[in-house]
Amino acid sequence: MNAASAACAPSRGMQQWDRIDWSRCKHHARRLQARIVKATQESRHGKAKALQWLLTHSFSGRALAVKRVTENKGKDTSGVDGLVWRSPEAKARAIGSLRRRGYQPQPLRRVYIPKANGKRRPLGIPTMRDRAMQALYLMALDPIAETTADANSYGFRPMRSTADAIEQCFKLLSRKTAPVWVFEGDIVGCFDHISHDWMHDNIPTDKAILGRWLKAGYVESGTLFPTDEGTPQGGVISPVLANMALDGLERVLRARFVRTGQGRGRFNPKVNLVRYADDFVITGTSREILENEVRPLVERFLAERGLQLSPEKTRITHIDEGFDFLGQHLRKYRGKLLVTPSRKNVHTFLEKVRSIIRLNGAASQSDLIYALNRVLLGWCMFHRHIVATRTFRKVDLVLWHRLWRWAQRRHQMKNADWVLNRYWHPVGGRRWRFAADTGKYTAAGHRDWLTLVCANKTLIRRHLKIRGEANPYDPAWRAYFEDRRGRAGQSRRRAHPPPLRCG
């Protein structure tokens, strides 16, 4: 019995799922993806389509798709059928169920999540089988998306992050001769309004399967609703479909605003695009260029895809006034560009911290530290590449006051000195550190403490931006990405010591 038949057989599923050679599956999938990249670069679209078919019908591709949807954060979230794949037997049977012939996706389960502005964002949750099918076809589509993507697009793409987008903004706006006007673009319901006809005509994937996903509909309060436009937020493949719909805007801008240098009699409008998913900014030398030339061009580009700009949220700002982008605030002070955490981002984070402390009023100190460290570490690492030291000090100060109130409320009959010595201790070279005694000892014989992360100790270091043309599916860039992974690991370790306990 070969690996494919063994993994798909219903009997002895545990043994057969565990027998799958995952390194071999990944190698086979990467090899086909590399060939898809090469065919796309050579404009051999028929060849790329044939290689996509091989990948989506291979055992390696199907097994990796099942592995992805059963090991990610949504592995325990079911669709309208209420099914999840937890056991090895179910996972093994699922590999065999990923077949194109006779496949018909089920409607999405509509749920809502709160947004920062108080509104709710709709999410469509596919069934496990539909998620696995999307993951399978995404493996074949993503190499093409990465090969044809805009150089300065950073959202929902492998090996790219918000730090890359912010660093690109810094490079464009920090110089003395940099453009001083910024067009802040906001698209109305990007995921919900992308034209199905445009996606059918321009997305290089299986048209029949894509059409069934787009027209599957959704179920809300027991009622089935049709989907005539958009790609649902919550689908595995939806972010890539939205990215491909917006790709090409940078090339359109570059073709329209040719950079002719700074010589006498020449004019360089310095129109540049930085995009993260559906959030983007465009730079320019004057308000008139952005308002009279760039904005109409962007509106025509979006209209072809069934999208439009938000009149309320789209605005043009001078760099001396500053603007918010991806949780950061970019502004020039006396000619010097500073990137700091935005007020809105800091306020939202501090409200979350206050909520955690309030909800853990009766919890042990160790449980509270664990709960706070989970959010503190992530937030500090997110802002560690910008001018955030003053903000980190503010966060530590707010934490001190909130934790002091938390401790005093627990011991209202004790004096301040007793409360201070009960919860704050001299640890790690600091006189007072919010720390809990674990009851253990280190190898050196010192007491083992569980300590709260100190935001102000985060090491600030500039981010090394990814190269615009870098492609993680192209073997020619393999050494480059391996080097970036090594640098990123070293940067994380230096920014915050990995252990939360110290002796």
Side-chain angles (χ1 to χ4, degrees):
M1 183 181 294
N2 57 28
S5 60
C8 298
S11 62
R12 296 193 302 167
M14 181 180 296
Q15 181 182 6
Q16 290 147 5
W17 175 261
D18 294 338
R19 284 173 52 192
I20 296 176
D21 188 347
W22 294 111
S23 61
R24 185 174 181 180
C25 289
K26 292 178 182 178
H27 174 75
H28 179 67
R30 283 198 300 265
R31 181 172 172 270
L32 286 174
Q33 288 173 327
R35 294 177 65 188
I36 292 173
V37 169
K38 183 179 179 181
T40 304
Q41 291 172 340
E42 297 173 352
S43 298
R44 301 174 61 189
H45 304 298
K47 180 70 172 179
K49 183 177 180 180
L51 292 168
Q52 285 181 302
W53 190 94
L54 285 176
L55 181 54
T56 55
H57 288 73
S58 67
F59 169 76
S60 298
R62 290 183 285 127
L64 289 171
V66 173
K67 182 179 175 66
R68 172 174 177 170
V69 300
T70 56
E71 294 183 357
N72 60 13
K73 293 182 179 180
K75 62 182 179 181
D76 294 323
T77 304
S78 63
V80 293
D81 58 359
L83 299 178
V84 293
W85 298 334
R86 292 193 179 96
S87 66
E89 294 89 345
K91 297 175 185 179
R93 287 193 299 268
I95 297 176
S97 70
L98 302 185
R99 302 290 183 183
R100 184 183 186 278
R101 179 177 297 179
Y103 170 69
Q104 183 62 43
Q106 298 188 55
L108 308 171
R109 180 168 66 90
R110 173 63 62 91
V111 297
Y112 293 90
I113 60 174
K115 298 173 63 176
N117 58 6
K119 298 181 179 180
R120 297 192 304 167
R121 185 190 306 277
L123 292 182
I125 309 299
T127 63
M128 290 294 290
R129 187 188 179 204
D130 293 336
R131 266 179 272 173
M133 284 292 286
Q134 291 187 19
L136 176 61
Y137 280 83
L138 175 60
M139 293 173 61
L141 177 62
D142 210 23
I144 298 179
E146 284 297 306
T147 306
T148 60
D150 287 342
N152 290 301
S153 163
Y154 301 97
F156 300 127
R157 295 182 61 186
M159 305 301 295
R160 297 186 181 225
S161 65
T162 56
D164 293 305
I166 294 297
E167 183 63 18
Q168 177 63 15
C169 290
F170 184 85
K171 290 180 179 294
L172 294 174
L173 299 169
S174 60
R175 298 178 181 177
K176 292 183 179 180
T177 58
V180 295
W181 291 94
V182 177
F183 178 89
E184 302 174 63
D186 185 271
I187 302 174
V188 179
C190 179
F191 280 83
D192 299 329
H193 299 296
I194 302 176
S195 169
H196 284 184
D197 292 336
W198 187 92
M199 284 192 283
H200 183 274
D201 295 338
N202 295 275
I203 302 297
T205 189
D206 191 306
K207 306 298 183 183
I209 297 294
L210 177 62
R212 293 171 193 170
W213 284 332
L214 297 177
K215 301 297 184 181
Y218 65 91
V219 174
E220 183 177 359
S221 301
T223 304
L224 177 64
F225 296 89
T227 49
D228 299 322
E229 60 180 2
T231 176
Q233 298 187 59
V236 176
I237 202 172
S238 296
V240 175
L241 296 180
N243 254 342
M244 296 191 76
L246 297 176
D247 279 332
L249 179 57
E250 185 173 8
R251 291 188 289 272
V252 170
L253 290 171
R254 287 184 176 179
R256 171 64 181 83
F257 301 97
V258 181
R259 307 188 69 172
T260 57
Q262 300 290 340
R264 179 178 297 179
R266 299 188 178 189
F267 176 65
N268 185 354
K270 299 178 182 177
V271 174
N272 301 283
L273 170 73
V274 180
R275 181 171 66 85
Y276 189 93
D278 58 340
D279 294 329
F280 64 91
V281 295
I282 302 175
T283 64
T285 53
S286 68
R287 174 185 285 272
E288 290 71 22
I289 287 178
L290 295 178
E291 183 66 43
N292 301 327
E293 298 185 47
V294 170
R295 182 164 188 157
L297 189 150
V298 172
E299 289 176 342
R300 288 194 299 270
F301 177 88
L302 295 177
E304 295 175 359
R305 291 148 176 82
L307 303 172
Q308 61 179 348
L309 292 172
S310 169
E312 298 81 13
K313 296 182 180 180
T314 299
R315 51 184 175 267
I316 299 174
T317 310
H318 195 278
I319 191 61
D320 289 344
E321 298 176 7
F323 65 97
D324 290 348
F325 186 52
L326 303 178
Q328 324 284 15
H329 184 73
L330 296 89
R331 181 180 176 183
K332 270 192 174 180
Y333 298 86
R334 298 180 180 178
K336 184 176 182 179
L337 181 68
L338 295 182
V339 185
T340 59
S342 69
R343 291 185 178 181
K344 182 179 178 181
N345 182 273
V346 175
H347 174 75
T348 302
F349 172 73
L350 289 178
E351 285 298 312
K352 185 175 184 179
V353 167
R354 294 184 182 106
S355 176
I356 291 174
I357 297 175
R358 184 170 57 251
L359 293 174
N360 285 273
S364 66
Q365 186 183 14
S366 298
D367 290 340
L368 176 60
I369 291 175
Y370 274 122
L372 289 174
N373 279 350
R374 279 195 293 268
V375 297
L376 275 169
L377 275 173
W379 188 80
C380 291
M381 296 298 281
F382 180 79
H383 291 291
R384 74 187 187 276
H385 302 300
I386 62 174
V387 184
T389 301
R390 181 178 296 180
T391 305
F392 288 160
R393 292 198 193 104
K394 176 184 176 181
V395 168
D396 284 340
L397 182 62
V398 171
L399 267 173
W400 158 259
H401 287 294
R402 287 291 169 173
L403 290 173
W404 179 250
R405 292 176 60 185
W406 174 86
Q408 282 190 315
R409 192 179 297 114
R410 293 163 67 93
H411 306 282
Q412 299 182 16
M413 305 302 294
K414 300 292 184 179
N415 60 40
D417 289 339
W418 187 95
V419 174
L420 183 66
N421 292 314
R422 169 66 177 81
Y423 293 102
W424 280 266
H425 308 277
V427 179
R430 297 184 62 198
R431 185 176 179 184
W432 299 110
R433 188 83 178 265
F434 191 73
D437 187 359
T438 63
K440 301 178 182 179
Y441 290 87
T442 64
H446 300 292
R447 184 176 295 177
D448 190 27
W449 295 96
L450 176 64
T451 60
L452 182 70
V453 167
C454 180
N456 193 34
K457 294 299 182 181
T458 304
L459 180 64
I460 303 296
R461 176 165 294 186
R462 283 281 298 276
H463 176 72
L464 181 62
K465 190 185 80 71
I466 191 172
R467 295 184 186 176
E469 65 275 14
N471 188 338
Y473 298 105
D474 190 344
W477 290 94
R478 187 168 299 163
Y480 171 76
F481 282 107
E482 289 177 355
D483 181 63
R484 281 187 66 85
R485 290 190 191 97
R487 290 174 180 267
Q490 293 178 3
S491 176
R492 283 192 293 269
R493 288 190 293 271
R494 291 170 181 169
H496 264 297
L500 299 180
R501 292 184 173 88
C502 50

